[in-house]
Amino acid sequence: MGTEGSTVLSPAWRGLPRFDSSAVSNSASCALPPRFEAVRTARRFTGTTLSHWGVQHIFDSVALVVSELVTNSLRYAIPTGRVDGGYEPPVRLHLMRWTTRLVCAVRDPSEEGPLAGEAAPGDEHGRGLLLVESFSDAWGWHPLAGALHGKVVWALFRLPRE
């Protein structure tokens, strides 16, 4: 299902249709605190939002991807020793819905791109981005520009035409 998302994507996001923000049918955003309990908050926010938009049938796949992206941001993007300060907000989840696609995007303060890991047998880490690739239709990341610092890691889900 997925594509090679572990590289910085061009503004056209490597052949995906441009995302015209004025064409977004719905969007929602949630600031997340730099604590691992935020993963549960992100899943609940995703469930409520998808239900409100009438696309709850894709909740399981989207929630798994959101969990992985938020966990990665909390684990790798928050500077050591910076638990409650320094960034406002440290991690933010964005959900955007068009007629035929949904994008979940997680913004964090790190400018380093995500790396798909090689998990050793019995290792609990290193499989998250492989899950993102398997459960989404496309994924990627890009650095933020201008006054914003950090990056956005996103995953796209195609929705059936109504």
Side-chain angles (χ1 to χ4, degrees), residues 6-144:
S6 60
T7 59
V8 175
L9 301 178
S10 67
W13 289 1
R14 287 185 52 199
L16 290 173
R18 283 193 171 274
F19 295 122
D20 177 4
S21 61
S22 66
V24 173
S25 298
N26 300 100
S27 65
S29 180
C30 175
L32 299 168
R35 295 185 301 276
F36 286 106
E37 297 83 29
V39 176
R40 181 178 6 177
T41 301
R43 281 193 305 264
R44 285 183 182 153
F45 174 78
T46 298
T48 301
T49 302
L50 295 183
S51 180
H52 180 72
W53 292 346
V55 292
Q56 61 271 18
H57 61 280
I58 62 169
F59 171 75
D60 290 339
S61 294
V62 175
L64 182 132
V65 167
V66 163
S67 295
E68 293 298 333
L69 296 181
V70 170
T71 297
N72 283 350
S73 287
L74 294 170
R75 180 172 284 139
Y76 302 113
I78 305 299
T80 305
R82 302 300 295 262
V83 177
D84 286 320
Y87 298 100
E88 190 55 45
V91 175
R92 181 171 282 278
L93 168 63
H94 302 273
L95 299 173
M96 296 158 284
R97 179 182 175 263
W98 289 260
T99 305
T100 59
R101 64 186 177 250
L102 174 100
V103 171
C104 61
V106 176
R107 183 182 82 192
D108 67 47
S110 173
E111 295 180 359
E112 291 186 34
L115 297 173
E118 294 283 327
D123 193 355
E124 293 294 319
H125 303 290
R127 294 181 182 88
L129 291 175
L130 296 174
L131 290 172
V132 170
E133 184 170 338
S134 294
F135 283 85
S136 66
D137 291 299
W139 76 276
W141 73 281
H142 60 88
L144 296 173

